[in-house]
């Protein structure tokens, strides 16, 4: 009987611990208390910031329909308030994306997380990036597949935030279906020495990069023999700005920077402009290629909301607010200050 009494005593003590830790009847949880406080604040002063925080608490409480309705109304208000703090707008988009995610709508969650990348807070942006990769991974693993991503250059751009096997697979799928570069025949290769300066750059004595009528040509001369690859650019108006090799360990990448400009009519009813007034937006595109012409990464300069993309495959995850260059530190490549390493043909975050 002694072992039985010991077992009963142990079970009783565990039961008492559970009872002691359980909230008293009618006691509020932390989220319920936060909801009551935020609701009172919002009713007194209905700011977008307080409302978005209230919607997030409602999500945590499982009130998804209530949170969705509230956040949709707030985002509509936000679009009509050009003076709204970008950090607040980003946070509201992030919270709405979380609701979409829990409702199983991964496409809209992915879309809003991409829009939330505009936050000016670097720490907050990292949180958005990690969530965006998680949702993108689930999305491409669903029946929607890789085509659900915004751009065919999205897998590589997302991998710079966080490694993901499904996104690596998407990058390989796109590379096979739409190779960025293909080998050139001898007849199609221009004379490297005759390329005008505005069309060409030399990353080293043996290599010349030429852009002409929407094509990037990379010609390499060794031992008197010239070989080349030809890459169809997304925008036929891209002009070459620079070309340089970036090497770390056994990885050697060619960084090509191009400039693009889009022109459009901006007159209309705005008295500031004439009827035939023309406006333009410019952006730079940064490509990282292997020596064989495999695209490892494509980024475009971030520009203000309301501007027109000067680059066809533009997507939020392809924009970078700090596009400045690529350097090497040991076995790590720094792309706009982001530490990356080459692993099996992909650039992923370095430890």
């Amino acid at each position: 009987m002694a072992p039985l009494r010991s077992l009963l005593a142990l079970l009783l003590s565990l039961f008492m611990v559970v009872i002691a830790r359980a909230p008293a009847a009618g006691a509020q949880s932390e989220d319920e208390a936060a909801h009551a406080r935020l609701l009172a604040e919002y009713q007194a002063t209905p700011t977008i910031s307080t409302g978005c925080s209230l919607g997030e608490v409602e999500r945590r409480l499982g009130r998804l329909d209530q949170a969705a309705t509230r956040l949709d109304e707030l985002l509509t208000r936000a679009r009509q308030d050009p003076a709204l703090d970008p950090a607040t707008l980003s946070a509201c988009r992030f919270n709405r994306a979380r609701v979409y995610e829990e409702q199983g709508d991964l496409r809209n969650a992915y879309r809003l997380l991409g829009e939330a990348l505009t936050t000016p807070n670097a720490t907050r942006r990292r949180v958005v990036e990690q969530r965006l990769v998680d949702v993108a991974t689930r999305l491409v693993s669903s029946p929607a597949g890789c085509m659900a991503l915004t751009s065919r250059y999205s897998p590589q751009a997302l991998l710079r935030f966080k490694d993901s096997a499904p996104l690596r697979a998407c990058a390989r799928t796109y590379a096979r279906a739409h190779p960025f570069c293909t080998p050139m025949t001898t007849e199609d290769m221009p004379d490297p020495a005759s390329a005008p300066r505005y069309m060409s750059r030399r990353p080293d004595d043996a290599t010349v990069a030429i852009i002409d009528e929407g094509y990037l040509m990379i010609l390499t001369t060794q031992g008197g023999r010239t070989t080349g690859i030809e890459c169809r650019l997304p925008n036929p108006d891209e002009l070459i700005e620079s070309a340089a090799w970036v090497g770390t360990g056994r990885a050697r990448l060619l960084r090509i920077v191009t400039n693009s400009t889009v022109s459009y009519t901006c007159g209309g009813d705005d008295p500031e402009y004439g009827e035939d007034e023309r406006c333009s937006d410019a952006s730079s595109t940064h490509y990282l290629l292997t020596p064989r012409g495999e695209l490892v990464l494509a980024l475009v300069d971030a520009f203000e909301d309301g501007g027109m993309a000067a680059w066809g495959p533009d997507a939020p995850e392809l924009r970078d607010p700090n596009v400045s260059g690529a350097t090497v530190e040991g076995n790590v490549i720094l792309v706009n200050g982001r530490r990356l390493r080459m692993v099996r043909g992909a650039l992923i975050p370095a430890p």
Side-chain angles (χ1 to χ4, degrees):
M1 293 295 293
L4 180 59
R5 284 195 296 272
S6 298
L7 178 59
L8 290 173
L10 177 60
L11 291 175
L12 179 61
S13 64
L14 289 174
F15 177 75
M16 294 303 294
V17 169
V18 170
I19 292 296
R21 292 183 177 179
Q28 287 186 322
S29 69
E30 290 185 9
D31 283 338
E32 288 171 335
H35 185 270
R37 174 178 56 79
L38 287 168
L39 182 59
E41 290 180 13
Y42 186 70
Q43 289 173 338
T45 309
T47 65
I48 292 178
S49 176
T50 301
C52 289
S53 297
L54 181 58
E56 165 60 12
V57 173
E58 288 168 343
R59 179 193 69 81
R60 294 202 301 265
L61 289 170
R63 305 173 189 176
L64 298 183
D65 291 341
Q66 185 177 359
T69 299
R70 186 183 303 283
L71 291 169
D72 283 341
E73 292 173 353
L74 290 166
L75 286 172
T76 299
R77 281 178 54 191
R79 285 192 289 270
Q80 300 168 353
D81 184 2
L84 182 65
D85 175 22
T88 298
L89 177 58
S90 170
C92 209
R93 287 168 168 168
F94 181 87
N95 292 348
R96 183 62 178 99
R98 294 298 311 278
V99 176
Y100 272 128
E101 188 179 352
E102 293 197 15
Q103 290 175 324
D105 189 345
L106 296 178
R107 285 180 179 270
N108 275 316
Y110 172 70
R111 173 182 59 82
L112 274 178
L113 286 169
E115 294 177 7
L117 289 172
T118 55
T119 177
N121 184 299
T123 301
R124 182 66 181 175
R125 180 182 165 93
R126 290 290 192 269
V127 173
V128 178
E129 290 170 355
Q130 299 295 301
R131 198 77 199 176
L132 181 61
V133 173
D134 291 343
V135 170
T137 298
R138 291 174 59 195
L139 191 57
V140 302
S141 301
S142 72
C146 302
M147 295 298 293
L149 299 180
T150 312
S151 164
R152 67 187 180 97
Y153 303 119
S154 291
Q156 295 96 327
L158 291 166
L159 285 169
R160 84 187 193 278
F161 300 152
K162 182 180 179 181
D163 195 10
S164 163
L167 290 177
R168 283 174 179 258
C170 284
R172 291 191 295 269
T173 297
Y174 280 126
R176 288 193 297 266
H178 307 282
F180 191 72
C181 303
T182 56
M184 299 181 71
T185 64
T186 303
E187 294 76 16
D188 290 336
M189 284 187 290
D191 179 4
S194 64
R197 173 63 183 168
Y198 75 92
M199 292 172 53
S200 64
R201 297 291 185 273
R202 286 189 173 273
D204 60 33
D205 292 339
T207 311
V208 61
I210 303 170
I211 288 185
D212 185 22
E213 297 183 352
Y215 283 92
L216 165 66
M217 292 164 279
I218 302 169
L219 308 179
T220 304
T221 302
Q222 293 180 332
R225 180 173 179 268
T226 300
T227 58
I229 54 176
E230 183 180 62
C231 319
R232 180 64 172 173
L233 297 176
N235 187 339
D237 297 324
E238 291 182 64
L239 301 174
I240 192 164
E241 178 182 304
S242 64
W245 287 106
V246 180
T248 171
R250 292 181 294 176
R252 190 168 183 249
L253 301 176
L254 180 61
R255 178 173 179 265
I256 302 288
V257 180
T258 68
N259 292 323
S260 304
T261 302
V262 60
S263 178
Y264 54 94
T265 302
C266 54
D269 297 329
D270 192 336
E272 183 180 348
Y273 302 107
E275 291 183 2
D276 297 325
E277 186 73 20
R278 301 293 293 176
C279 294
S280 62
D281 290 316
S283 64
S284 295
T285 305
H286 300 237
Y287 301 97
L288 282 174
L289 308 168
T290 68
R292 295 193 298 271
E294 299 157 330
L295 183 65
V296 174
L297 185 63
L299 298 177
V300 63
D301 286 328
F303 52 85
E304 295 181 1
D305 286 345
M308 294 186 69
W311 196 59
D314 179 50
E317 58 268 25
L318 273 59
R319 301 184 195 178
D320 198 307
N322 301 304
V323 172
S324 58
T327 57
V328 175
E329 283 187 4
N331 292 322
V332 174
I333 300 176
L334 274 70
V335 179
N336 309 333
R338 195 184 296 270
R339 292 170 53 84
L340 304 173
R341 61 192 178 106
M342 281 287 291
V343 178
R344 297 188 296 278
L347 274 178
I348 62 173

